[in-house]
Amino acid sequence: MDMINIAVLVSGRGTNLQAIINVINRGGIDGKIRIVLSDNPEAYALKRAQRNGIKTKVVHYKEYRSKDEYEQEIMKYIDNYRIDLIVLAGYMRILSPNFIKKYPYRIINIHPALLPSFPGLNAQRQAIEYGVKISGCTVHFVDEGVDSGPIILQKAVEVKDSDDEKSLSRRILKYEHRLLPRAIQLFAQNKIQIINKTRVHIKK
Ligand code: GAR
């Protein structure tokens, strides 16, 4: 079985990273995380990676003169490690069109809402404030828009009347942890087919 090389980009606590690591450790993904890259030196995700013997690199946004230079540095690692798939797991920056163009259909993101509803920041709060009865999570390819690329997998999650942002986030997060590793394995097995550049068909 061919193993794909994975890079994970993080900014924070890294529970989605942990979920990927757990599935890899029990043999559920035909791939290896070659590097975890963080824009934030304080990200707890870095500790999770290190604990599992995974290489980490902080590319501290503030230390670069421009977004372009910052992204060039990230690309250097992506290219040196011959990365097949870039996973955004709680990465809180928008990648520039130059970056995205370089890795077409090779960057995926997990978003805590049913896209195209509630893109951008604080998706769970947006869902609560709008008053939807169902929200969920989405794994999608990253294109040049904000949370707008082809959708790979989605899971619907009920919003209860008693929910606040915190309780809804917690319920959705549980499903994120299943959805993201599943999407990565589909990618690794080459089962994701893109139709007309916009729709995803999952091969049996
Ligand atoms: C997750 O809920 C993820 O869906 C969300 O940030 C959280 C990261 O948690 N991502 C976005 O909102 C992207 N716009 P984690 O660091 O524990 O994986």
Side-chain angles (χ1 to χ4, degrees):
M1 183 63 71
D2 274 357
M3 289 282 181
I4 61 162
N5 293 329
I6 301 165
V8 184
L9 267 61
V10 297
S11 298
R13 67 189 165 175
T15 66
N16 277 290
L17 169 68
Q18 188 69 58
I20 301 165
I21 292 172
N22 294 348
V23 175
I24 287 179
N25 287 349
R26 47 170 201 269
I29 291 175
D30 304 330
K32 275 204 76 167
I33 301 175
R34 298 294 173 193
I35 188 150
V36 169
L37 292 153
S38 175
D39 61 331
N40 166 16
E42 309 292 326
Y44 188 70
L46 292 165
K47 293 214 169 61
R48 297 180 190 271
Q50 284 153 9
R51 241 189 255 143
N52 283 275
I54 297 166
K55 235 192 176 54
T56 60
K57 175 71 190 168
V58 175
V59 183
H60 197 180
Y61 191 78
K62 288 188 189 146
E63 285 170 11
Y64 295 83
R65 278 182 302 184
S66 64
K67 185 164 185 173
D68 188 54
E69 282 184 24
Y70 160 80
E71 287 187 346
Q72 290 294 337
E73 183 71 5
I74 295 181
M75 287 184 215
K76 203 179 82 190
Y77 286 92
I78 303 290
D79 297 339
N80 285 349
Y81 284 92
R82 301 181 179 283
I83 297 301
D84 301 297
L85 177 66
I86 302 164
V87 179
L88 310 186
Y91 178 72
M92 292 309 198
R93 289 184 190 281
I94 292 174
L95 294 166
S96 71
N98 268 341
F99 189 103
I100 288 157
K101 272 198 217 106
K102 192 160 174 221
Y103 309 103
Y105 303 108
R106 284 168 60 200
I107 312 172
I108 65 173
N109 179 46
I110 176 94
H111 185 75
L114 289 180
L115 291 172
S117 290
F118 312 128
L121 290 177
N122 306 315
Q124 305 96 328
R125 189 191 309 163
Q126 293 184 55
I128 292 281
E129 282 173 0
Y130 195 96
V132 291
K133 303 300 183 191
I134 296 168
S135 191
C137 45
T138 303
V139 181
H140 64 96
F141 284 110
V142 174
D143 69 7
E144 289 167 37
V146 175
D147 298 323
S148 66
I151 291 170
I152 303 169
L153 293 174
Q154 287 188 305
K155 171 72 186 168
V157 176
E158 186 192 355
V159 184
K160 299 184 176 164
D161 288 349
S162 57
D163 269 331
D164 57 14
E165 181 184 356
K166 200 168 154 206
S167 61
L168 178 62
S169 300
R170 203 180 311 122
R171 189 171 317 112
I172 292 174
L173 190 63
K174 237 180 20 200
Y175 293 99
E176 294 184 38
H177 294 163
R178 299 176 197 171
L179 212 63
L180 185 54
R182 264 176 51 207
I184 295 172
Q185 174 63 342
L186 289 171
F187 184 96
Q189 293 175 316
N190 210 6
K191 285 189 176 168
I192 302 179
Q193 209 174 357
I194 294 151
I195 299 166
N196 291 336
K197 296 187 175 175
T198 57
R199 276 184 303 132
V200 163
H201 172 78
I202 309 284
K203 291 190 243 168
K204 293 275 176 242

